[in-house]
Amino acid sequence: MSINATIIGELLAFSALFIIGPMCYYYGRRKTQHPIAVGVLGVILGFLPPLGFIFLAFILLKNDIPKHTTVNSEEVA
């Protein structure tokens, strides 16, 4: 059995799919208010690896959303 370039290309494309989707979700939790939508969009764009990597770069370059901090009543008074 010989290994041709088509099989190698398909393996790279599917591996990019399984890498881009979870990474988009992981960074979407920190940088957006809708991480599930970002993860799903990352999986969809992962079918076309160049678009998936561009979307992942876009998510990585976004600023983090501020975390909600609670203020103790002693500090306010």
Side-chain angles (χ1 to χ4, degrees):
M1 180 178 169
S2 64
I3 297 177
N4 58 15
T6 304
I7 294 174
I8 294 173
E10 289 174 356
L11 288 175
L12 289 174
F14 283 123
S15 65
L17 172 72
F18 292 115
I19 292 171
I20 292 172
M23 286 182 69
C24 285
Y25 174 73
Y26 174 75
Y27 289 112
R29 286 188 309 173
R30 289 190 350 209
K31 297 179 181 274
T32 65
Q33 295 178 353
H34 306 286
I36 295 174
V38 171
V40 169
L41 188 58
V43 168
I44 292 170
L45 290 175
F47 283 107
L48 298 169
L51 292 179
F53 285 119
I54 290 170
F55 182 68
L56 184 61
F58 174 75
I59 294 297
L60 286 172
L61 293 175
K62 276 184 62 101
N63 292 331
D64 290 350
I65 57 174
K67 294 197 178 229
H68 298 293
T69 58
T70 59
V71 178
N72 294 336
S73 60
E74 297 172 357
E75 294 176 0
V76 175

